[in-house]
Amino acid sequence: MRVCIYGAGAGGGHFGARLAQAGHEVSLIARGPHLAAIKSGGLTLISGDEEIVTFPAATDDSSEPGHQDLVIVTVKATALASVAEGLKPLVGPETRVLFTQNGMPWWYPLGIDIEQRLPALPSFALSDAYLEAVRPEQILGGLIYSANEVREPGVVFNNSPGANRMDIGAIVPEHDGDAEPFREALRAAEIGSLPVNDIREAIWKKLLFNMSGSVIALATGNQSSIARRDPALGEVYLDLVNEGLAIAAAYGYRLNDELRPEEMLKKTLDHKPSLLQDFEQGRAMEIAEIVLAPLEFARAAGLNTPALRTIAAIVVRRAKDKGLFA
Ligand SMILES: NC(=O)C1=CN([C@@H]2O[C@H](COP(=O)(O)OP(=O)(O)OC[C@H]3O[C@@H](n4cnc5c(N)ncnc54)[C@H](OP(=O)(O)O)[C@@H]3O)[C@@H](O)[C@H]2O)C=CC1
Ligand SMILES: CC(C)(CO)C(=O)C(=O)O
């Protein structure tokens, strides 16, 4: 399988290394010192006791790799506007393009009839640029359940050994069968990949984890697990999850049977989520997609979500003060 990872940083680097190890023809689009290190010494993945070094093709020029079977776009949501044009040379009529960003995705309204009124999120306007490169039937959504960081240029550290998953599904439900060969390829490459009943439902499930644990981590500068170690924050966590469940339900996704707030709290990770990593390292932050999007969905549905509103105001202020969110 010809696979291009567009933005092979922490998550993309992990998947790229595993797919290359499994024998796929992998190309990485990267840049700067990370690209230079991969070109000279390969891409290293450290996960538990395992350290693998792979040598996929790597470039910052997306016109080099040619048409792919699968392009996995793993840039941050904040970089999506800048890569839409670069996607074009990688996409042929049969190519599938998988977007794996955390939070509310730009493609959410595409390819379905949505009865509920959606808020007009700025990211939804990205469809103008992306639909010049790819048809809705070619688009897959993905949810990363895996904790990674770039430790140094060329080296990806995985903080969830044995528990790495990427669930994927077609954004046009009738085309979901097209995702199955890619799920199989991921599984064969030691990345779990569960079928999704409905990719938008799966988006809400993951968003519930990020809008609670990741946002508390960001507000307090701690690992997500601070919510289970500090009872007062634990209460805020439960409020956030309950509000998230209410928002998802207002848009047709009743997740209460599957996602139990108390169980989620017990499983919060000893890991600084990517939202906090970005804050600490001074990188543009996915505030709009993870924090403000659910709040806007709540407002559009007429829901009062005081815990989310309060913590959103705090983290947005912190991000603005550091110049990481406008
Ligand atoms: N890290 C993780 O384990 C998880 C990440 N996610 C989600 O996955 C997405 C990616 O996160 P993550 O992997 O941490 O992000 P990273 O910043 O580590 O990786 C993105 C990479 O894309 C590169 N990039 C951006 N624009 C371009 C461009 N135009 N050309 C070439 N390279 C480019 C970045 O380079 P540069 O550094 O120079 O900007 C960076 O190396 C996010 O939405 C995140 O929320 C979800 C769950 C877990
Ligand atoms: C919490 C986690 C690691 C879940 O995979 C994540 O989504 C992130 O780091 O942004």
Side-chain angles (χ1 to χ4, degrees):
M1 197 177 278
R2 285 167 62 77
V3 185
C4 177
I5 312 285
Y6 206 133
H14 179 155
F15 302 130
R18 284 296 185 201
L19 288 165
Q21 184 192 31
H24 296 286
E25 193 183 329
V26 174
S27 310
L28 309 177
I29 312 284
R31 63 185 180 185
H34 186 53
L35 173 63
I38 296 170
K39 277 184 158 174
S40 62
L43 173 64
T44 300
L45 171 67
I46 301 170
S47 181
D49 296 336
E50 198 183 6
E51 177 165 333
I52 62 166
V53 185
T54 58
F55 295 90
T59 177
D60 56 7
D61 180 356
S62 66
S63 67
E64 280 178 16
H67 286 182
Q68 304 291 308
D69 297 306
L70 180 66
V71 181
I72 312 183
V73 182
T74 53
V75 297
K76 287 266 160 62
T78 48
L80 280 173
S82 68
V83 306
E85 187 65 26
L87 192 61
K88 287 182 183 168
L90 299 164
V91 179
E94 299 306 320
T95 305
R96 293 296 175 271
V97 182
L98 168 59
F99 291 89
T100 65
Q101 287 67 37
N102 266 339
M104 179 54 58
W106 67 268
W107 49 259
Y108 191 94
L110 289 185
I112 47 161
D113 289 327
I114 296 181
E115 285 166 21
Q116 298 89 348
R117 196 164 69 83
L118 298 187
L121 300 185
S123 60
F124 290 164
L126 280 174
S127 59
D128 292 345
Y130 274 105
L131 292 182
E132 284 182 19
V134 61
R135 303 186 313 278
E137 311 84 80
Q138 292 176 282
I139 302 176
L140 308 175
L143 293 311
I144 301 179
Y145 288 93
S146 173
N148 306 280
E149 59 185 290
V150 175
R151 273 278 162 93
E152 60 185 89
V155 180
V156 172
F157 179 81
N158 171 246
N159 196 18
S160 49
N164 296 298
R165 231 172 81 209
M166 177 157 61
D167 298 345
I168 64 179
I171 72 158
V172 180
E174 297 74 28
H175 288 262
D176 196 59
D178 301 353
E180 193 48 32
F182 302 120
R183 290 186 193 116
E184 279 168 24
L186 288 168
R187 288 179 206 128
E190 295 182 43
I191 302 159
S193 187
L194 301 177
V196 296
N197 177 40
D198 173 333
I199 188 66
R200 289 169 184 78
E201 179 185 69
I203 289 289
W204 280 108
K205 283 185 198 162
K206 176 80 201 275
L207 187 47
L208 252 70
F209 283 90
N210 289 128
M211 62 175 271
S212 52
S214 299
V215 175
I216 287 179
L218 172 60
T220 64
N222 280 277
Q223 297 177 330
S224 305
S225 55
I226 193 68
R228 73 177 136 79
R229 291 185 272 114
D230 177 328
L233 288 174
E235 284 183 30
V236 178
Y237 180 96
L238 296 178
D239 286 345
L240 289 168
V241 175
N242 281 315
E243 290 179 3
L245 286 169
I247 305 168
Y251 289 88
Y253 296 113
R254 296 186 192 288
L255 306 173
N256 302 59
D257 288 344
E258 212 175 326
L259 295 183
R260 305 265 177 202
E262 288 79 8
E263 294 307 310
M264 288 169 64
L265 178 58
K266 281 184 207 154
K267 291 184 191 151
T268 45
L269 292 176
D270 291 324
H271 171 70
K272 286 190 175 179
S274 52
L275 199 56
L276 176 57
Q277 289 178 35
D278 290 343
F279 180 76
E280 292 184 339
Q281 290 167 33
R283 300 186 300 225
M285 296 175 67
E286 295 175 313
I287 291 275
E289 296 75 14
I290 294 174
V291 188
L292 296 180
L295 192 56
E296 289 304 319
F297 269 71
R299 286 186 174 134
L303 289 177
N304 186 26
T305 52
L308 181 58
R309 194 175 61 229
T310 305
I311 204 158
I314 293 167
V315 298
V316 166
R317 189 67 261 157
R318 295 194 84 199
K320 282 185 175 171
D321 286 349
K322 219 174 161 186
L324 305 178
F325 180 67

